[in-house]
Each structure stands twice: as structure tokens, then as C-alpha cells.
Amino acid sequence: MMLRMFQADMLKMKRKWIWFLIFLGPFGVIALQGVNYGLRYDYLLNLYSNDWQGLIGNIQNLVPVTLLLGIAIVTSMIANIEHHQNSWKQLLALPVQRSVIYGAKFFVTVLMLLVSCLLLFLGSIILGIILDFGWTFSVIDLLKMSFMPLLAALPLLAFQLWLAITFKNQALALSIGILGAIFSMYTADMPDWVLWKWPLLQSEHAVAWYAIIGGMTGIIIFLIGMIDFTKRDVT
């Protein structure tokens, strides 16, 4: 049943701007770094002892705010499909558990953002090759830079999805998401328990800590949101 709801939600995404946004996020990050290196190529090569590590570091600086903005927009657009068409009552009238409906939307959101992370991974390699950095890059470091911020941001994704589904007016969910993305840029020196700091992957702890604790916390918040959805009257 979950698979059928998942497929139904994916069909609803056809001819929507969501897929364009999934592509636009990583493309924008890569394009900005392309301009950055185009304007300051010699300076940046002299600044870093390893060209690929320098490129990865510069891209990683843009990933958290872009990811959090993407989470806010994508969750809002996915939930707004039902809000806009006033189809929540018809959807909930189907012989399908509410938890399945909520879970399908969560997994659709995660899948779409994983696609965006994959595009960032591939785009980073292409940019490095275009900049003539060769093929001696660390696949592990590129994978960490591309995918670990999403795991670290999973609690915020779960929270934003709950907001977007619970409130028909998407201004609240979008405002909180956008403000959170901006706030994340100033969290590097804040305590490790600040959720908006986790996608930065910066701490005295191992980078994997953010992915692990983010994934666990994200699942907990997702389950809380799902329980609330099963008991709430959604109109």
C-alpha cells in the first residue's frame, strides 16, 4: 500500500515545477562556484594545497543554506498540491491508513532531495574536470559533501513537512523554512544541539556524528508528525 501511495504521489509531481527546483538547487551551487573560480582561478589555486579539496570546501559552504531553502520549498509544494485542490478529504476517505499517506509524502520528499544531492555530486566532478583538476579526487569526500548534509537536515525536513501539511496557508511553513536557512549561516559557533547547525558538518566531533544523530532525530520527528496527522482533522 505504501508503494502505491508513493507512486501516486510521484505521478502528481509530473508537469510541476518541483523537478525544475530539484535541478536548480545543485545547478545554482555549481554555477556559482564556476563563476567564483572563473574570476579568481589563480588566487584560489594558490590558496589551497589540494585543488579538489579547495573546490569541495567552497561548494560545501553553499550546500547548507541551499539545502534548507530547498527543503522548505519542496515540502511546501508537495503539501500544497492537496491543499490547492482541496483534496485532503477525498484522499483521507480512501481505504488507506493515514500513516501510509503521510509516510508516502515524506519518502517522496526524501527521494527528490536525494536526486538533488546526486546531481550535486555529479556536477561537482564535472566542474572539477572542467577546471583541469584531473581525476585524483576523493570520492568519499565528495559523497560526504553531497549527501551527509541531507541526513543531518532530516529533522528539519520532517518538521517542515509537518508544518506544510498541517497549515493550509503555506506562508507560515515557507517563512520558517527561509528564516531557518538564513539562520543556519550564523550557527557555526553555536552549541551542537542547534538543529540548524547540523547541515554545516562543522564541529569538533566527527562529521558522521551529524549524519547519524540527524537521521535518528529526523525519524523521531517524522513519527511524531505522523501520529499528529493520524489524529488531526486536515481540511
Side-chain angles (χ1 to χ4, degrees), residues 1-162:
M1 189 61 70
M2 174 69 77
L3 179 60
R4 291 183 180 178
M5 289 303 304
F6 180 86
Q7 292 172 335
D9 280 333
M10 290 298 294
L11 286 174
K12 293 177 183 178
M13 306 301 141
K14 294 181 67 175
R15 301 185 183 89
K16 302 293 182 182
W17 285 94
I18 300 179
W19 284 112
F20 173 73
L21 292 174
I22 293 300
F23 168 81
L24 182 63
F27 175 80
V29 170
I30 298 301
L32 284 173
Q33 286 307 319
V35 172
N36 182 30
Y37 272 83
L39 296 175
R40 305 192 300 163
Y41 188 80
D42 292 332
Y43 169 77
L44 290 171
L45 289 188
N46 293 327
L47 186 62
Y48 302 103
S49 58
N50 184 297
D51 296 338
W52 274 104
Q53 290 303 318
L55 177 62
I56 291 173
N58 278 287
I59 293 175
Q60 186 170 338
N61 290 334
L62 298 176
V63 170
V65 63
T66 306
L67 174 63
L68 294 181
L69 284 173
I71 286 174
I73 295 172
V74 170
T75 52
S76 177
M77 293 184 71
I78 288 176
N80 200 48
I81 292 175
E82 313 297 347
H83 290 311
H84 181 70
Q85 298 175 352
N86 292 320
S87 58
W88 278 116
K89 288 184 177 180
Q90 293 90 330
L91 184 61
L92 296 176
L94 296 174
V96 181
Q97 293 182 345
R98 286 188 169 206
S99 58
V100 172
I101 295 173
Y102 191 88
K105 296 194 179 298
F106 178 79
F107 289 119
V108 165
T109 307
V110 171
L111 175 64
M112 299 183 86
L113 290 168
L114 282 173
V115 171
S116 191
C117 293
L118 177 61
L119 292 174
L120 177 66
F121 172 77
L122 297 175
S124 301
I125 295 176
I126 293 171
L127 178 59
I129 300 303
I130 291 174
L131 293 173
D132 198 26
F133 290 169
W135 292 88
T136 57
F137 56 85
S138 170
V139 175
I140 299 299
D141 288 343
L142 279 171
L143 288 172
K144 286 181 180 179
M145 180 269 295
S146 302
F147 291 94
M148 277 198 173
L150 176 58
L151 281 174
L154 208 59
L156 298 172
L157 188 158
F159 176 65
Q160 286 293 145
L161 181 65
W162 174 80

Side-chain angles (χ1 to χ4, degrees), residues 156 183-184 187 190-199 209-210:
L156 298 172
F183 173 67
S184 70
T187 58
M190 291 187 175
D192 288 348
W193 53 263
V194 177
L195 295 181
W196 289 266
K197 177 183 177 179
W198 295 0
W209 181 87
Y210 286 109

Side-chain angles (χ1 to χ4, degrees), residues 159-177:
F159 176 65
Q160 286 293 145
L161 181 65
W162 174 80
L163 279 177
I165 290 178
T166 302
F167 299 98
K168 185 173 183 179
N169 187 341
Q170 294 302 297
L172 176 63
L174 284 172
S175 297
I176 292 176

